[in-house]
Amino acid sequence: GAVVSQHPSRVICKSGTSVKIECRSLDFQATTMFWYRQFPKQSLMLMATSNEGSKATYEQGVEKDKFLINHASLTLSTLTVTSAHPEDSSFYICSARDRQGGGYTFGSGTRLTVV
Amino acid sequence: GNSVTQMEGPVTLSEEAFLTINCTYTATGYPSLFWYVQYPGEGLQLLLKATKADDKGSNKGFEATYRKETTSFHLEKGSVQVSDSAVYFCARISNDYKLSFGAGTTVTVRA
């Protein structure tokens, strides 16, 4: 079945530094990748949608300069949290939409802690 | 607007009990509907889906039927196990291929 690899699974960083999270579709080409944020005991909040080779589309209220998304190929998208602050601590999940079948596959998530 | 309303938890059950999690949606047209499951510390896994009215999705003993009359997609399982303890999300797809999720329902099954 379709597999999406997301890493790192956990990262701790200092305030002011930047962190990059990778999301890779292993056995299919992803037309579109989605980035979500999940707070404890809450649902997933869509942050942005990225299409290969074009700029990401951000949801209202999400700072595009803070959450940089790059979708350089049909199998890789990255989310960079720039100048991280403790309030950016959260669980970040990516999802990839299969170019052919249209199904959605989720990564295993990244737990970011900013200290 | 397009949204998903899901029964709030948490839900605590004994093994072999019957589980129902209610989900209703608002939408124009007939969007595809999904149930996802999230185990502790993990991402989401697709549990089942239905793409048109009256479809029944099923997997691992779970079932949900797409009811256009009541705009519902309730999740059911006749006999739960401890391993079913997780958070369950109802979701629908929008015209721009984005998934909208319900708030999630935490289910705990006790032996």
Side-chain angles (χ1 to χ4, degrees):
Chain A
V3 176
V4 169
S5 173
Q6 182 177 346
H7 70 90
S9 58
R10 290 179 180 273
V11 58
I12 301 174
C13 70
K14 292 185 177 180
S15 287
T17 62
S18 295
V19 173
K20 180 184 284 189
I21 302 170
E22 285 193 357
C23 180
R24 202 178 288 271
S25 57
L26 298 186
D27 48 4
F28 66 98
Q29 292 184 328
T31 314
T32 307
M33 288 193 176
F34 304 89
W35 287 95
Y36 297 86
R37 184 174 180 175
Q38 186 181 31
F39 292 101
K41 300 187 186 301
Q42 293 190 25
S43 189
L44 280 73
M45 181 191 79
L46 179 64
M47 299 174 65
T49 303
S50 73
N51 294 294
E52 185 261 343
S54 62
K55 290 184 178 180
T57 303
Y58 290 81
E59 296 298 303
Q60 192 171 8
V62 178
E63 298 177 60
K64 61 179 67 175
D65 294 331
K66 180 164 189 62
F67 298 100
L68 300 179
I69 291 172
N70 183 280
H71 193 160
S73 75
L74 282 170
T75 60
L76 174 65
S77 177
T78 60
L79 167 67
T80 301
V81 183
T82 62
S83 187
H85 292 285
E87 56 264 32
D88 299 325
S89 298
S90 192
F91 193 57
Y92 293 87
I93 305 176
C94 70
S95 172
R97 183 169 183 263
D98 190 332
R99 186 182 197 184
Q100 289 192 328
Y104 295 80
T105 303
F106 285 79
S108 55
T110 298
R111 173 73 59 195
L112 170 63
T113 303
V114 184
V115 298
Chain B
N2 300 326
S3 67
V4 176
T5 302
Q6 184 175 343
M7 182 180 91
E8 290 189 20
V11 174
T12 303
L13 304 164
S14 298
E15 261 193 322
E16 299 183 3
F18 183 85
L19 170 68
T20 298
I21 305 176
N22 289 342
C23 172
T24 57
Y25 66 92
T26 59
T28 54
Y30 304 104
S32 293
L33 302 172
F34 308 83
W35 277 99
Y36 284 88
V37 58
Q38 183 179 33
Y39 298 102
E42 298 184 13
L44 272 66
Q45 299 176 26
L46 177 64
L47 182 59
L48 54 83
K49 68 178 182 181
T51 57
K52 60 183 187 295
D54 300 324
D55 263 3
K56 176 186 282 188
S58 61
N59 185 27
K60 299 181 181 179
F62 290 89
E63 291 184 343
T65 301
Y66 193 140
R67 304 276 188 206
K68 66 177 181 179
E69 309 84 11
T70 54
T71 60
S72 65
F73 193 55
H74 305 323
L75 182 68
E76 297 181 338
K77 184 170 185 178
S79 177
V80 293
Q81 305 299 314
V82 172
S83 57
D84 293 325
S85 298
V87 182
Y88 293 83
F89 292 95
C90 185
R92 49 143 291 156
I93 191 168
S94 61
N95 291 338
D96 54 2
Y97 303 108
K98 296 177 183 177
L99 283 171
S100 296
F101 290 91
T105 302
T106 300
V107 174
T108 302
V109 181
R110 294 180 175 168

